[in-house]
């Protein structure tokens, strides 16, 4: 077990977005989260690395770190928690005035205070890994959306996280560039990265996931192996959602 979450809840004012969510993540597992808009998927993902602080819930990591969000949590433990995950956003969030290489180096050098020369070498290797070896010195506006998202993946990997989080990483892309991002993610899955992916790419989720969660109304309605949840769902809400996604004209 890498991470166990029990009783996770999160509200924004009177809107209860997550309601008693329980989920376990194994080391090296690819977990895909699907569901309609407004079901709580992105909020759940942001709770995994502290971008949103849960109202309650207990996070237990395999290294012994335990956070109970109903109690006061030591600042050092919150920092330790936030550094466990690297995040890839929908909208890239690259620094427009920095080159591709500088974007990837930013976090390790200025946040983690690591050696600049060492980070530069690692960043170059990561950019080659995502197919952007020839783009080190260009700026984000000179890249396609798919290329910018691949920079975002390299930037998250540069922080050497234990867990990679992806929030609808292809939703802002043109159809022709979606494949190049999904290919990089498939390669990471083959390398046994622990990954949690919010996605609407159902076939991709079927191909790479070890486990799929279907969320609706702030709850995990159904979870299991891809062939169970995506091919033979038990819950009526899951069936209706997949019908709308896979057969929109019916």
């Amino acid at each position: 077990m890498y991470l166990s979450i029990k009783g996770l809840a999160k509200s924004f004012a009177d809107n209860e977005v997550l309601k008693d969510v329980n989920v376990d993540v194994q080391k090296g597992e690819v977990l895909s989260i699907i569901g309609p808009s407004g079901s709580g998927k992105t909020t759940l993902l942001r709770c995994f690395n502290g971008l949103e602080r849960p109202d309650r819930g207990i996070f237990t990591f395999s290294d012994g770190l335990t956070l109970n969000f109903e109690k006061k949590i030591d600042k050092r433990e919150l920092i330790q928690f936030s550094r466990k995950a690297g995040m890839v956003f929908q909208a890239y969030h690259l620094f427009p005035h920095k080159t591709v290489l500088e974007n990837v180096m930013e976090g390790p050098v200025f946040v983690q205070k690591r050696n600049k020369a060492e980070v530069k070498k690692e960043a170059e290797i990561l950019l080659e890994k995502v197919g952007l070896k020839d783009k080190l010195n260009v700026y984000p506006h000179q890249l396609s959306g798919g290329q910018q998202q691949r920079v975002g993946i390299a930037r998250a990997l540069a922080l050497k996280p234990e867990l990679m989080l992806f929030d609808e990483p292809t939703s802002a892309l043109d159809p022709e560039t979606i494949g190049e991002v999904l290919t990089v993610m498939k390669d990471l899955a083959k390398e046994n990265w622990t990954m949690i992916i919010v996605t609407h790419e159902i076939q991709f989720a079927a191909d790479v996931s070890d486990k799929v969660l279907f969320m609706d109304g702030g709850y995990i309605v159904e979870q299991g192996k891809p062939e169970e949840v995506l091919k033979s769902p038990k819950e009526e809400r899951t069936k209706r959602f997949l019908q709308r996604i896979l057969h929109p004209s019916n």
Side-chain angles (χ1 to χ4, degrees), residues 163-198:
L163 171 67
M164 284 287 287
L165 306 175
F166 296 85
D167 184 15
E168 296 274 15
T170 60
S171 66
L173 301 181
D174 296 326
E176 61 267 26
T177 61
I178 287 173
E180 63 194 48
V181 173
L182 296 182
T183 296
V184 170
M185 294 171 66
K186 285 179 181 178
D187 289 342
L188 293 177
K190 288 174 188 170
E191 294 172 16
N192 291 319
W193 277 88
T194 307
M195 299 162 62
I196 302 175
I197 306 164
V198 171

Side-chain angles (χ1 to χ4, degrees), residues 10-17 55:
K10 176 66 180 176
S11 296
F12 297 98
D14 294 331
N15 182 19
E16 193 177 9
V17 178
D55 298 326

Side-chain angles (χ1 to χ4, degrees), residues 57-123:
I58 299 174
F59 285 52
T60 305
F61 291 88
S62 56
D63 63 3
L65 177 65
T66 298
L67 303 176
N68 184 341
F69 284 96
E70 285 192 275
K71 298 181 179 179
K72 186 177 169 81
I73 298 173
D74 186 89
K75 186 178 178 182
R76 286 170 300 178
E77 290 184 326
L78 285 174
I79 292 170
Q80 185 184 350
F81 169 51
S82 66
R83 287 181 176 172
K84 286 182 177 293
M87 183 86 161
V88 179
F89 299 90
Q90 278 185 41
Y92 327 134
H93 293 321
L94 301 180
F95 295 107
H97 59 290
K98 292 184 181 291
T99 66
V100 163
L101 184 62
E102 289 168 342
N103 264 280
V104 176
M105 292 176 62
E106 180 82 9
V109 170
F110 294 101
V111 178
Q112 296 180 334
K113 310 296 184 188
R114 289 168 48 205
N115 178 272
K116 191 171 182 179
E118 180 185 303
V119 169
K120 183 172 183 289
K121 284 182 188 174
E122 291 176 1

Side-chain angles (χ1 to χ4, degrees), residues 178-237:
I178 287 173
E180 63 194 48
V181 173
L182 296 182
T183 296
V184 170
M185 294 171 66
K186 285 179 181 178
D187 289 342
L188 293 177
K190 288 174 188 170
E191 294 172 16
N192 291 319
W193 277 88
T194 307
M195 299 162 62
I196 302 175
I197 306 164
V198 171
T199 185
H200 61 278
E201 299 285 345
I202 301 299
Q203 188 57 55
F204 172 75
D207 291 343
V208 305
S209 304
D210 298 294
K211 186 161 65 180
V212 175
L213 306 184
F214 170 67
M215 290 191 70
D216 195 13
Y219 292 101
I220 295 175
V221 175
E222 188 164 357
Q223 61 180 300
K225 293 179 180 179
E227 58 268 26
E228 295 168 350
V229 176
L230 301 177
K231 300 287 173 60
S232 304
K234 298 182 180 69
E235 300 295 329
E236 194 57 42
R237 277 191 283 179

Side-chain angles (χ1 to χ4, degrees), residues 38-56:
S39 59
K41 305 185 301 295
T42 292
T43 300
L44 175 58
L45 197 71
R46 290 169 67 87
C47 286
F48 273 104
N49 69 343
L51 286 174
E52 299 292 351
R53 180 171 174 138
D55 298 326
R56 63 180 183 276

